[in-house]
């Protein structure tokens, strides 16, 4: 209650004795002491104001006069940390209560707290935290610098090592020393990676340079070695070694034994000083470190050919050796390989087992290649380059020509005349002899029909190769073509070279028998040059032996030839066979043969091979010739 511009706290009490007897009114002047007590109790600055209407009529405060307005202005505010600690525009947080409205005046009490003081501890805490934080960052930075030095140096070293490993340099030790366990682990991992890569690379290099089966060098690597030798202008000998019929060894004894033979041969070869390699299949190459003598090469061959004991079977191998002297015979690796092929082929064909290369071999080889190419072309597109000549066989008993031999002739646009000796064997090896045979059969049967039409009663003898005999479709084809010309089977006969029959004797017998069963005459050609045995002869379903011309050409001069031919004739007769002698070049031979009971004679003395038309004319001209 305002009284005389002073504020009083008034308490009105009823005095009961025991019924109310009086009302006591007690007033206390509200002044600074009261507020101080209040402040002491609440710990808050306290301001008391009294308003009459809008006008403030009384004010006391525990705050200094200057701050009261400010505290009052911050009523009901929610101060932010920023406004307290940084901008400091809210030092007080105040809350205001209206006391009872008394007799037209309104008393208002405002409790204020100095926010700055309130935050003082917090600020110092905040400062400490910031300081500790900064210190931690600083320490961390220093530690990181030290630590990174400890980590990054060995890591950089490892990175350098990794780069070296990448380019294939494994010489450096990878042990990077560090106090850090992880770096040591990494360095150990690097070391084991390096040695593993090195091992694997060595393995890959080994595989790239070696033949897996024999562990000898392979063709690729030996090519590099040869090129190196040529670059250094070295003089050296290359020895090619070829196992005879290696495919046959695989076929007969199985691949496992074939492989075993190769390994054994490789072992034997590596015992000698030099570089050994396997080129393909059964073909090896050896570069001796010194120039071997002829005796040494021979003894090397003997060593290599020692029987190979494969456990379940003992295999006898034969090798052919081709020698190439470099740089005289070849001046680069490609030439070495090419000429090795040539010389090894030749060594096999001619059965000269140790054969040095010479230029003539290559000429023959190239010629053989062009023969193959041209002959294939002729058979496909230009069969008019082929012709058949006929050579009469004279029956010595009746003095008449009863048989003629068909002999192929080939005059090629590029190669000129090529002798059958030069292309028949090549065609056999190259695997297209049956194309020649079918052409010959067709033409020979056509000509046989012409001979019949010209009243020439002769049997046409066709030469067959071993491959033809083994061909099961040949006989039906011959029968069919004969049939189209209405010719009997005795208008054809066949000659087979003796050597060809030995290779697969049993099968050959079956096929020959089929020819005999159809009524064809069969002769063994070039008899005496092969390996005939009595037992073998006895079993062969042939009716004629044709004595090779090498025994006949000089028959009148050579005692030995006479003995052989006489023996062959009596042998043939004892087996019930006829004999034809080819290569009769003079009357003396003809007489001898007739005396010994030889059935037929063929040779230049009687007539050279001649075209079909000439043969008809010749036969007509010689109808009454007395040959003996
Ligand atoms: P061959 O079957 O032994 O034929 C006989 C060869 O001796 C023929 O050589 C013939 O011209 C030759 N000759 C005949 N009489 C005499 C003579 O008195 N003196 C001399 N020095 N030689 C004589 P050609 O025609 O060069 O044939 C050579 C070989 O070619 C033949 O030997 C035969 O094995 C083969 N041949 C020829 N034509 C064919 C054919 O059509 N098919 C097959 N598979 N081989 C054939
Ligand atoms: Mg013949
Ligand atoms: Mg012959």
């Amino acid at each position: 209650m305002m009284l005389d511009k002073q504020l009083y706290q008034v308490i009105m009490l009823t005095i009961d004795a025991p019924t109310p007897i009086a009302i006591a009114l007690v007033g206390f002047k509200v002044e600074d002491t009261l507020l101080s007590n209040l402040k002491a109790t609440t710990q808050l600055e306290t301001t008391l104001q009294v308003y009459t209407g809008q006008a403030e009529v009384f004010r006391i405060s525990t705050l200094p006069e200057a701050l009261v307005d400010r505290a009052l202005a911050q009523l009901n505010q929610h101060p932010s940390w920023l406004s307290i600690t940084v901008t400091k525009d809210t030092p007080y947080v105040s809350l205001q209560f209206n006391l009872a409205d008394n007799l037209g005046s309104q008393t208002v009490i405002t409790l204020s707290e100095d926010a700055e003081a309130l935050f003082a501890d917090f600020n110092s805490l905040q400062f400490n935290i910031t300081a500790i934080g900064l210190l931690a960052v600083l320490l961390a930075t220093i530690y990181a610098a030290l630590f990174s030095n400890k980590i990054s140096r060995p890591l950089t070293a490892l990175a350098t090592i990794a780069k070296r490993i990448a380019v294939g340099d494994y010489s450096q030790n990878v042990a990077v020393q560090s106090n850090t366990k992880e770096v040591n682990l990494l360095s150990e991992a690097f070391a084991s990676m390096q040695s593993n890569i090195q091992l694997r690379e060595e393995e890959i290099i080994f595989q790239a340079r070696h033949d897996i089966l024999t562990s000898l060098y392979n063709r690729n690597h030996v090519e590099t070695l040869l090129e190196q030798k040529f670059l250094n202008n070295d003089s050296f000998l290359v020895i090619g070694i070829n196992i005879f019929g290696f495919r046959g060894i695989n076929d007969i004894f199985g691949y496992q034994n074939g492989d075993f033979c190769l390994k054994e041969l490789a072992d034997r070869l590596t015992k000698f000083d030099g570089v050994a390699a396997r080129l393909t299949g059964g073909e090896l190459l050896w570069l001796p470190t010194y120039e071997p003598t002829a005796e040494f090469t021979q003894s090397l061959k003997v060593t290599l050919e020692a029987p190979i004991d494969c456990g379940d079977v003992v295999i006898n191998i034969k090798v052919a050796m081709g020698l190439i002297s470099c740089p005289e015979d070849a001046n680069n690796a490609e030439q070495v390989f090419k000429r090795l092929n040539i010389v090894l082929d030749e060594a096999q064909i001619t059965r000269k087992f140790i054969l040095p290369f010479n230029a003539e071999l290559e000429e023959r080889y190239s010629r053989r290649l062009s023969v193959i190419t041209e002959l294939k072309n002729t058979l496909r597109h230009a069969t008019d380059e082929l012709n058949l000549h006929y050579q009469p066989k004279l029956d010595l008993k009746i003095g008449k020509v009863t048989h003629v031999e068909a002999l192929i002739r080939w005059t090629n646009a590029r190669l000129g005349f090529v002798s059958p000796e030069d292309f028949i064997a090549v065609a056999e090896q190259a695997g297209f002899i049956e194309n020649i045979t079918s052409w010959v059969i067709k033409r020979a049967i056509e000509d046989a029909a012409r001979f019949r039409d010209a009243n020439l009663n002769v049997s046409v003898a066709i030469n067959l190769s071993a491959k033809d005999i083994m061909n099961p479709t040949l006989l039906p084809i011959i029968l069919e073509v004969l049939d189209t010309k209405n010719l009997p089977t005795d208008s054809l006969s066949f000659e087979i070279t003796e050597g060809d029959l030995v290779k697969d004797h049993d099968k050959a017998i079956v096929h020959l028998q089929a020819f005999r069963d159809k009524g064809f005459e069969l002769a063994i050609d070039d008899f005496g040059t092969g390996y005939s045995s009595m037992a073998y002869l006895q079993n062969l379903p042939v009716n004629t032996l044709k004595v090779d011309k090498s025994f006949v050409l000089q028959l009148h001069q050579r005692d030995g030839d006479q003995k052989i031919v006489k023996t062959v004739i009596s042998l043939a007769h004892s087996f019930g066979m006829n004999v034809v002698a080819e290569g009769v070049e003079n009357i003396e031979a003809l007489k001898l043969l007739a005396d010994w009971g030889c059935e037929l004679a063929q040779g230049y003395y009687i007539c050279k091979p001649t075209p079909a038309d000439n043969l008809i004319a010749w036969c007509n001209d010689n109808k009454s010739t007395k040959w003996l």
Side-chain angles (χ1 to χ4, degrees):
M1 170 188 283
M2 288 297 297
L3 204 70
D4 200 15
K5 293 194 178 168
Q6 268 297 319
L7 182 67
Y8 292 88
Q9 182 182 10
V10 179
I11 300 160
M12 200 167 74
L13 292 165
T14 312
I15 299 165
D16 293 322
T19 52
I21 54 161
I23 291 172
L25 197 74
V26 186
F28 306 94
K29 195 176 177 184
V30 176
E31 52 189 0
D32 291 341
T33 327
L34 178 73
L35 284 196
S36 299
N37 288 342
L38 256 172
K39 182 181 171 182
T41 310
T42 60
Q43 297 290 318
L44 296 167
E45 302 289 351
T46 309
T47 305
L48 242 169
Q49 292 164 283
V50 178
Y51 290 90
T52 304
Q54 290 295 316
E56 187 193 50
V57 290
F58 179 79
R59 173 196 290 190
I60 53 170
S61 178
T62 53
L63 282 168
E65 188 59 38
L67 291 177
V68 174
D69 282 340
R70 191 141 174 218
L72 292 176
Q74 309 292 340
L75 272 182
N76 296 328
Q77 284 216 354
H78 299 283
S80 66
W81 169 83
L82 200 68
S83 61
I84 294 164
T85 54
V86 182
T87 58
K88 302 201 176 192
D89 53 359
T90 315
Y92 289 101
V93 179
S94 305
L95 205 59
Q96 203 164 57
F97 306 93
N98 289 332
L99 299 183
D101 185 356
N102 260 335
L103 304 174
S105 56
Q106 173 71 49
T107 308
V108 176
I109 187 159
T110 304
L111 302 176
S112 305
E113 171 72 348
D114 182 352
E116 211 175 317
L118 206 63
F119 270 79
D121 284 348
F122 175 70
N123 279 347
S124 84
L125 182 68
Q126 207 171 34
F127 174 79
N128 287 345
I129 288 173
T130 310
I132 290 169
L134 285 175
L135 189 68
V137 169
L138 184 71
L139 285 176
T141 311
I142 293 168
Y143 182 71
L146 288 174
F147 186 71
S148 83
N149 204 21
K150 246 167 63 181
I151 297 274
S152 72
R153 215 167 345 107
L155 283 188
T156 313
L158 285 176
T160 315
I161 289 165
K163 278 185 194 150
R164 270 207 322 271
I165 294 176
V167 295
D169 173 8
Y170 308 117
S171 55
Q172 206 82 7
N173 186 10
V174 182
V176 170
Q177 284 307 322
S178 162
N179 300 332
T180 316
K181 193 174 129 208
E182 286 76 7
V183 172
N184 285 338
L185 273 176
L186 192 63
S187 143
E188 274 167 38
F190 258 68
S192 92
M193 180 182 82
Q194 165 166 297
S195 70
N196 283 343
I197 290 180
Q198 190 175 0
L199 270 179
R200 224 168 317 146
E201 192 173 303
E202 277 165 13
E203 217 173 281
I204 290 169
I205 290 175
F206 183 87
Q207 282 176 6
R209 290 181 176 173
H210 290 78
D211 169 52
I212 306 290
L213 178 68
T214 58
S215 297
L216 298 182
Y217 284 130
N218 60 20
R219 186 194 168 97
N220 250 352
H221 188 58
V222 92
E223 186 172 343
T224 315
L225 296 180
L226 286 173
E227 290 300 2
Q228 198 57 52
K229 278 180 169 290
F230 283 117
L231 271 181
N232 297 345
N233 288 325
D234 288 352
S235 280
F236 58 98
L237 184 74
V238 182
I239 301 187
I241 299 165
N242 198 6
I243 307 176
F244 266 91
F246 181 64
R247 256 190 66 183
I249 293 180
N250 278 331
D251 290 346
I252 296 166
F253 300 106
Y255 281 85
Q256 228 173 340
N257 286 327
D259 285 354
F260 187 84
C261 282
L262 274 175
K263 280 194 251 182
E264 180 61 29
L265 220 62
D267 280 352
R268 291 176 187 179
L269 197 55
T270 40
K271 298 228 166 67
F272 296 91
D273 280 346
V275 172
R278 178 178 173 216
L279 302 180
T280 52
E283 206 174 294
L284 309 177
L285 178 147
W286 188 52
L287 292 171
T289 32
Y290 45 85
E291 183 87 5
T293 60
E295 293 77 45
F296 176 83
T297 318
Q298 182 60 44
S299 77
L300 170 69
K301 181 170 180 289
V302 171
T303 310
L304 294 179
E305 286 180 340
I308 297 174
D309 187 353
C310 304
D312 48 347
V313 62
V314 175
I315 299 179
N316 286 302
I317 55 160
K318 262 215 131 355
V319 298
M321 292 165 64
L323 317 184
I324 305 227
S325 301
C326 299
E328 300 83 24
D329 292 342
N331 49 32
N332 61 53
E334 200 190 318
Q335 262 182 12
V336 169
F337 290 135
K338 189 180 162 206
R339 292 179 176 171
L340 262 187
N341 265 346
I342 294 173
V343 73
L344 286 174
D345 265 9
E346 188 69 18
Q348 294 226 40
I349 292 169
T350 57
R351 308 214 137 229
K352 285 181 191 134
F353 298 110
I354 299 177
L355 190 66
F357 175 82
N358 64 60
E360 197 194 309
L361 288 182
E362 187 160 22
E363 267 167 43
R364 275 222 295 273
Y365 181 81
S366 318
R367 167 123 179 131
R368 221 169 33 217
L369 273 192
S370 10
V371 164
I372 292 177
T373 321
E374 290 297 322
L375 190 55
K376 277 186 177 163
N377 193 41
T378 297
L379 287 164
R380 233 177 276 138
H381 309 293
T383 40
D384 57 339
E385 287 189 352
L386 295 172
N387 199 5
L388 277 188
H389 280 194
Y390 295 91
Q391 188 176 30
K393 296 182 194 174
L394 184 69
D395 186 322
L396 294 173
K397 302 256 153 59
I398 56 172
K400 292 212 165 6
V401 171
T402 52
H403 295 74
V404 291
E405 179 176 9
L407 295 161
I408 194 165
R409 295 293 175 259
W410 178 36
T411 309
N412 175 250
R414 199 162 74 81
L415 301 173
F417 176 77
V418 187
S419 151
E421 311 246 270
D422 293 339
F423 71 83
I424 292 292
V426 171
E428 268 177 45
Q429 283 160 15
F432 58 95
I433 187 71
E434 56 259 46
N435 301 5
I436 296 180
T437 305
S438 34
W439 182 87
V440 170
I441 284 169
K442 208 169 145 267
R443 170 62 69 85
I445 291 176
E446 279 166 17
D447 288 341
R450 284 175 64 198
F451 299 151
R452 282 286 139 112
D453 295 345
N455 276 330
L456 201 60
N457 210 2
V458 289
S459 171
V460 175
I462 293 173
N463 289 286
L464 293 182
S465 83
K467 286 224 176 87
D468 295 323
I469 289 298
M470 299 304 181
N471 176 2
T473 63
L474 184 71
L475 182 58
I477 289 172
I478 292 172
L479 292 171
E480 196 188 311
V481 185
L482 274 180
D483 201 42
T484 57
K485 295 280 171 191
N486 256 329
L487 288 174
T489 45
D490 67 2
S491 53
L492 279 195
S493 54
F494 299 96
E495 298 183 7
I496 305 110
T497 305
E498 175 188 5
D500 294 344
L501 297 176
V502 184
K503 285 176 199 149
D504 195 349
H505 186 58
D506 296 340
K507 207 171 158 200
I509 287 180
V510 174
H511 284 252
L512 291 177
Q513 190 60 55
F515 274 81
R516 291 291 291 141
D517 291 346
K518 293 290 173 195
F520 292 111
E521 290 187 2
L522 294 181
I524 296 187
D525 207 346
D526 302 341
F527 186 79
T529 54
Y531 327 72
S532 344
S533 76
M534 295 296 177
Y536 154 84
L537 256 190
Q538 194 185 6
N539 290 330
L540 270 188
V542 297
N543 62 309
T544 304
L545 292 188
K546 196 166 177 188
V547 187
D548 189 67
K549 59 176 175 282
S550 59
F551 305 107
V552 181
L553 289 172
Q554 285 133 324
L555 189 66
H556 62 296
Q557 294 166 337
R558 288 193 187 167
D559 250 13
D561 287 351
Q562 292 187 9
K563 281 185 187 131
I564 291 171
V565 175
K566 244 193 319 197
T567 310
V568 170
I569 292 170
S570 68
L571 179 76
H573 289 168
S574 68
F575 282 120
M577 295 181 191
N578 292 332
V579 179
V580 183
E582 62 178 9
V584 178
E585 291 196 348
N586 47 56
I587 180 70
E588 292 88 345
L590 196 68
K591 277 185 176 154
L592 286 174
L593 291 164
D595 287 350
W596 297 333
C598 178
E599 279 76 14
L600 292 160
Q602 173 184 355
Y604 292 174
Y605 175 71
I606 302 155
C607 181
K608 286 196 172 180
T610 179
D613 290 338
N614 290 359
L615 180 84
I616 296 172
W618 182 90
C619 285
N620 285 332
D621 292 349
N622 286 283
K623 257 185 191 144
S624 46
T625 306
K626 295 269 174 283
W627 291 101
L628 288 160

